[in-house]
Amino acid sequence: GRNSAQAVLVANVPLPAWRTGDFSSLTNSIVNPYTGNPFPGNQIPANMISPVAQNIQAILYPLPNYGPSGLLSGNFRDLLPSENGWAVFDIGDASLDYILGKKDTLFLRESYRHLRVIDIYGNLPAVSHEVENRLGASGVITENHIFSPTLINEIRFGYTDQRLAYNQVFDGYDFITKAGMTGPFVGITPIVAVPWFSINSISSTTGLDDDRSDVGLDYEWNDNLSWTWGRHSLKFGIDQILDHLTFLDNFGNVYGSYTFNGKFTTNGYADFLLGLPQQTSITSPAPSIQRHGTMIGAYAQDQFQVNPRLTLNYGLRWEYQGPYSGAPYLLYSFDPKNGKEVIPTQAGFSHIS
């Protein structure tokens, strides 16, 4: 089951007249940045409006549907379906105990959990949804062998798999293609990300989450030997963990960030229609980051019953956590003595910008 709900979306969208370049309702003058003079009647000629801006306008900004004519603040409202999985989620467990023989028993367990959330993050309907999936699974198999009444061995193999994925519904690559935008992002591998548009007085797409995925996969095995010897209860063991981590995180300005603040015309939306951002920036897509590490431990302990009123517990443990490795050669370190980066392989230099 799921906790289904509706989320209220409130946005500031451009007035209908603004969409065609008509700012006659404003008292301040809209300046033609190419002449320095106001546009007659505060009307931008149709042949000066950017076709790319018109395409973006048609995709991102709906017409007002709330309040009196001329209202700009909160003039678009909608109810959008959402899904809250924090209280209700899918979960499953299965286990099996099996007697192999007089001296051997086997235990198996598998667990699964899935939490799904439809988040409403943005306030423009085209870019408001993000699907969050949290998956968790673990399993273990244990075998116990009785060598004698005083000597028992347990060996165990297990794994844990944790996956977190944020999936933006809005396809940024499809968007820039339909909008006719050009720039350094053209030709990159398609990434589901939201371009960042910030226009004075209009709801923005800045800072919205995009496709992200984190995967943590661990394999572990351990062996424990229990030995009762007189008044001593001795235990010896060894364990090893193989840790695998994968991260992929891209933010919206892989398709650019665009700020329109009225610098050129005195009105942010007029700047947008003319295709004149005050500031732009872009970020290169992030590569997938992979990490692999190994941890090993061993121990010996004893519980010694000195007399009925005194018991001593003591032992030793040794652990080693090796350095993480990763592909494609994205790991590096820092030497504080000389203030330089340490690149482990020659191939790693090709990834330094």
Side-chain angles (χ1 to χ4, degrees):
R2 288 285 179 270
N3 286 348
S4 297
Q6 287 185 314
V8 179
L9 184 147
V10 180
N12 303 341
V13 298
L15 301 178
W18 290 13
R19 301 170 72 92
T20 61
D22 182 358
F23 295 89
S24 58
S25 62
L26 300 180
T27 56
N28 62 295
S29 297
I30 304 300
V31 176
N32 184 334
Y34 302 104
T35 66
N37 299 317
F39 285 108
N42 270 1
Q43 173 74 55
I44 300 175
N47 62 356
M48 291 186 65
I49 296 177
S50 164
V52 173
Q54 289 179 317
N55 293 335
I56 295 171
Q57 175 179 257
I59 297 171
L60 288 183
Y61 302 108
L63 289 166
N65 66 359
Y66 180 84
S69 175
L71 176 69
L72 183 60
S73 178
N75 61 357
F76 179 86
R77 305 196 177 191
D78 199 2
L79 286 175
L80 298 179
S82 65
E83 191 171 282
N84 178 8
W86 296 107
V88 182
F89 44 82
D90 301 322
I91 188 169
D93 290 285
S95 63
L96 173 68
D97 289 284
Y98 185 68
I99 299 175
L100 298 172
K102 293 182 178 180
K103 295 186 177 183
D104 295 277
T105 59
L106 187 68
F107 172 76
L108 296 92
R109 178 189 56 79
E110 178 68 23
S111 297
Y112 170 84
R113 174 170 173 163
H114 175 217
L115 182 150
R116 183 174 184 265
V117 179
I118 298 178
D119 296 311
I120 305 299
Y121 278 142
N123 50 10
L124 290 170
V127 294
S128 60
H129 281 78
E130 180 181 69
V131 178
E132 177 183 347
N133 279 289
R134 295 174 179 258
L135 298 173
S138 63
V140 64
I141 178 171
T142 304
E143 199 272 342
N144 289 282
H145 178 73
I146 301 173
F147 291 99
S148 72
T150 60
L151 187 63
I152 300 173
N153 187 75
E154 177 196 68
I155 186 167
R156 178 181 299 175
F157 298 90
Y159 82 96
T160 58
D161 187 356
Q162 300 290 331
R163 299 172 184 265
L164 171 61
Y166 294 91
N167 304 115
Q168 173 60 242
V169 176
F170 187 81
D171 189 335
Y173 191 81
D174 181 67
F175 168 79
I176 64 171
T177 302
K178 291 180 178 178
M181 298 173 65
T182 60
F185 40 69
V186 176
I188 67 173
T189 301
I191 296 172
V192 180
V194 179
W196 291 359
F197 288 92
S198 177
I199 305 173
N200 276 13
S201 302
I202 303 298
S203 294
S204 72
T205 64
T206 302
L208 296 182
D209 288 326
D210 307 305
D211 262 11
R212 293 186 289 161
S213 64
D214 300 331
V215 178
L217 180 60
D218 290 342
Y219 296 99
E220 181 177 5
W221 73 272
N222 56 62
D223 190 86
N224 300 283
L225 182 67
S226 300
W227 180 29
T228 302
W229 178 50
R231 289 182 292 168
H232 294 269
S233 296
L234 298 153
K235 289 188 176 181
F236 307 91
I238 185 171
D239 63 90
Q240 181 180 30
I241 298 175
L242 305 177
D243 187 25
H244 303 271
L245 303 171
T246 303
F247 306 96
L248 178 61
D249 196 346
N250 280 296
F251 293 95
N253 56 352
V254 297
Y255 294 129
S257 174
Y258 314 90
T259 300
F260 301 87
N261 64 357
K263 176 181 179 180
F264 300 100
T265 66
T266 72
N267 181 277
Y269 203 76
D271 283 6
F272 166 73
L273 290 178
L274 293 174
L276 298 175
Q278 180 266 332
Q279 180 178 339
T280 63
S281 64
I282 194 167
T283 299
S284 298
S288 175
I289 300 174
Q290 301 177 22
R291 299 286 184 266
H292 311 286
T294 300
M295 290 158 277
I296 302 174
Y299 74 93
Q301 69 180 51
D302 180 26
Q303 179 176 297
F304 175 45
Q305 186 172 358
V306 180
N307 58 52
R309 299 179 60 186
L310 177 62
T311 300
L312 298 179
N313 289 277
Y314 51 92
L316 294 172
R317 181 172 178 84
W318 169 85
E319 291 184 348
Y320 171 76
Q321 180 169 327
Y324 276 72
S325 61
Y329 314 106
L330 297 178
L331 286 175
Y332 67 94
S333 188
F334 176 75
D335 188 345
K337 293 182 180 180
N338 56 28
K340 294 183 178 180
E341 294 177 346
V342 179
I343 311 299
T345 64
Q346 188 66 32
F349 285 92
S350 63
H351 297 277
I352 298 177
S353 58

